[in-house]
Amino acid sequence: MLTFIGLGLCDEYDVSVRGLEAIRAADAVFLEVYTSVLTGTTIPRLEEYYGKKITPLYREDVELHPEPVLDAAAKGDAVFLTAGDSMVATTHADIRIRAAERGIQTRIIHGASITTAVCGLCGLQNYRFGKSVSVPFPYGKWFPMTPIEVISANLAQNLHTLVFLDIQKDKERYMHVSEAVDLLEEQAARAGVRIPLYVGIARAGSATPVVHAGDAEEMRRFAFGDPLHIMVVPGELHDIEREYLVRFAGLC
């Protein structure tokens, strides 16, 4: 059996009761650590709370060499842990497919997802979100324009855009809102478009989340604090969405 378990947004206490029971009953526990992280905890703290030894998995482990996970699931009960909800990244769906091809039974125990937490924190209606996009750190001469292309397409349809900010776990480097705004503003200038409003969110799911809305200059000035950060570029706001941002995100 291979069980995919979402751990939620912040720390070891966000896992569901059903998920915790499955972890404690497992023969092998794997934690994917490259698509997102639980910034409110560490692997030793997870191991202490779960009562299990945890094997971290990096990109190559998941995408190119998943055999240890599948072998463990073929022999007994294995769990595959991720921050947030388990099937947000397509690589995790790929592992479930591979398990099915080997005749391994699978199941999913869901956790809180950033995609829904953002809606609750900033008050933007989830049915008004278009395609999401990630903003990567530039590398050398590589400066992708995909983010502004997606945002522009969504704005043209009056849709909000969820903007994921890059994580370089091997370098302990997490993109901040101000860095993402700088990159998007440069892309917007090159593309000849304008982003009128941003919403930044820091540490969703923690006891101290921060939500703040404003134009580019406001977002550059505002101190969001420690990671993880994520952003939304809203379409035209409904009255209730605007009031929510005024009351809970400092929108002027």
Side-chain angles (χ1 to χ4, degrees):
M1 166 74 81
L2 178 58
T3 303
F4 297 86
I5 302 175
L7 298 181
L9 300 173
C10 182
D11 58 28
E12 62 267 36
Y13 304 116
D14 285 350
V15 67
S16 68
V17 173
R18 182 175 287 109
L20 182 59
E21 290 176 349
I23 294 168
R24 290 178 172 170
D27 301 306
V29 180
F30 300 90
L31 172 64
E32 182 265 281
V33 296
Y34 70 90
T35 57
S36 187
V37 293
L38 297 175
T39 55
T41 191
T42 62
I43 289 180
R45 280 174 53 184
L46 292 173
E47 290 178 328
E48 181 179 3
Y49 185 63
Y50 299 155
K52 290 288 182 177
K53 176 68 177 176
I54 294 174
T55 301
L57 300 175
Y58 299 89
R59 185 179 296 275
E60 283 197 1
D61 301 320
V62 176
E63 296 182 357
L64 300 178
H65 306 293
E67 292 79 14
V69 177
L70 298 175
D71 291 344
K75 296 175 184 176
D77 287 331
V79 296
F80 184 99
L81 309 177
T82 60
D85 201 1
S86 295
M87 290 297 164
V88 172
T90 56
T91 48
H92 306 156
D94 179 65
I95 286 187
R96 194 179 190 202
I97 291 170
R98 294 190 191 202
E101 289 173 345
R102 289 184 51 171
I104 298 169
Q105 187 177 359
T106 63
R107 64 172 176 158
I108 302 171
I109 299 176
H110 295 282
S113 170
I114 189 62
T115 59
T116 52
V118 161
C119 298
L121 286 168
C122 67
L124 300 177
Q125 297 298 311
N126 65 340
Y127 61 83
R128 296 195 59 219
F129 278 77
K131 182 180 179 180
S132 60
V133 71
S134 297
V135 177
F137 288 110
Y139 181 78
K141 295 183 179 180
W142 181 66
F143 189 78
M145 293 290 286
T146 302
I148 197 62
E149 292 167 359
V150 171
I151 290 168
S152 296
N154 284 341
L155 289 175
Q157 300 178 72
N158 198 24
L159 297 175
H160 309 317
T161 307
L162 182 61
V163 183
F164 294 95
L165 309 191
D166 201 3
I167 295 173
Q168 294 181 343
K169 187 66 175 67
D170 56 334
K171 300 178 182 179
E172 293 294 324
R173 186 183 184 193
Y174 307 96
M175 185 178 290
H176 286 232
V177 166
S178 59
E179 295 174 293
V181 168
D182 285 340
L183 292 169
L184 288 177
E185 286 295 303
E186 182 174 347
Q187 292 177 33
R190 293 187 186 187
V193 300
R194 177 176 173 269
I195 299 176
L197 180 64
Y198 295 91
V199 181
I201 297 169
R203 297 176 304 283
S206 74
T208 58
V210 171
V211 186
H212 193 69
D215 62 13
E217 288 307 310
E218 174 63 19
M219 301 302 273
R220 287 170 173 139
R221 288 193 299 263
F222 189 81
F224 283 90
D226 294 334
L228 291 174
H229 292 188
I230 194 166
M231 287 198 319
V232 179
V233 175
E236 184 178 347
L237 298 174
H238 289 165
D239 291 343
I240 293 178
E241 290 177 317
R242 179 174 295 279
E243 182 177 353
Y244 199 104
L245 288 174
V246 169
R247 289 184 177 273
F248 300 111
L251 181 64
C252 297

